[in-house]
Amino acid sequence: MAQNTQSKILSIEEQIQKLKEKQKREIAKLEKNTGKRFLEKFKLENKPLDEIYSFIEKLQEVIEIDSEGNLILNDSNNEKLNHEQSNK
């Protein structure tokens, strides 16, 4: 009986480990796909990495995300963004 219980525990632990590995793979796939889409949407596919990071930093200055995941445009940076866009 004790051996049967231990076998079940081992089986459950193996299943948990497999699920954790699957979760890691799925998260990696999600990150890859969302990153690819982000680069495509903002036409950053052929830009150097430092330029992409700079773009993300500027985006963070202009947009905030509240606790519910809603995007909020920072009014103080709105003029700066419009000015930079009109210069392009």
Side-chain angles (χ1 to χ4, degrees):
M1 178 96 169
Q3 190 175 13
N4 189 24
T5 303
Q6 192 160 359
S7 176
K8 287 181 181 180
I9 292 172
L10 184 58
S11 175
I12 292 170
E13 287 174 346
E14 289 172 354
Q15 289 175 9
I16 290 170
Q17 186 61 35
K18 287 179 183 179
L19 288 172
K20 285 181 180 180
E21 290 170 6
K22 182 178 180 180
Q23 182 183 33
K24 278 185 180 180
R25 287 192 307 272
E26 292 299 316
I27 289 171
K29 190 164 86 173
L30 176 66
E31 289 172 345
K32 181 181 176 183
N33 290 337
T34 55
K36 181 180 178 184
R37 184 165 184 189
F38 179 87
L39 295 175
E40 289 170 351
K41 290 291 180 184
F42 291 102
K43 297 178 179 29
L44 298 169
E45 306 101 311
N46 298 319
K47 303 291 182 185
L49 194 56
D50 60 335
E51 196 171 323
I52 294 170
Y53 287 155
S54 176
F55 177 83
I56 293 170
E57 292 295 323
K58 288 178 186 175
L59 197 58
Q60 284 180 309
E61 291 173 10
V62 176
I63 297 174
E64 290 182 34
I65 301 174
D66 68 12
S67 61
E68 296 175 2
N70 299 314
L71 298 178
I72 302 169
L73 186 61
N74 287 336
D75 290 332
S76 61
N77 292 315
N78 201 7
E79 289 181 33
K80 180 180 176 184
L81 178 66
N82 290 334
H83 178 70
E84 288 179 1
Q85 288 177 342
S86 65
N87 287 338
K88 290 185 179 182

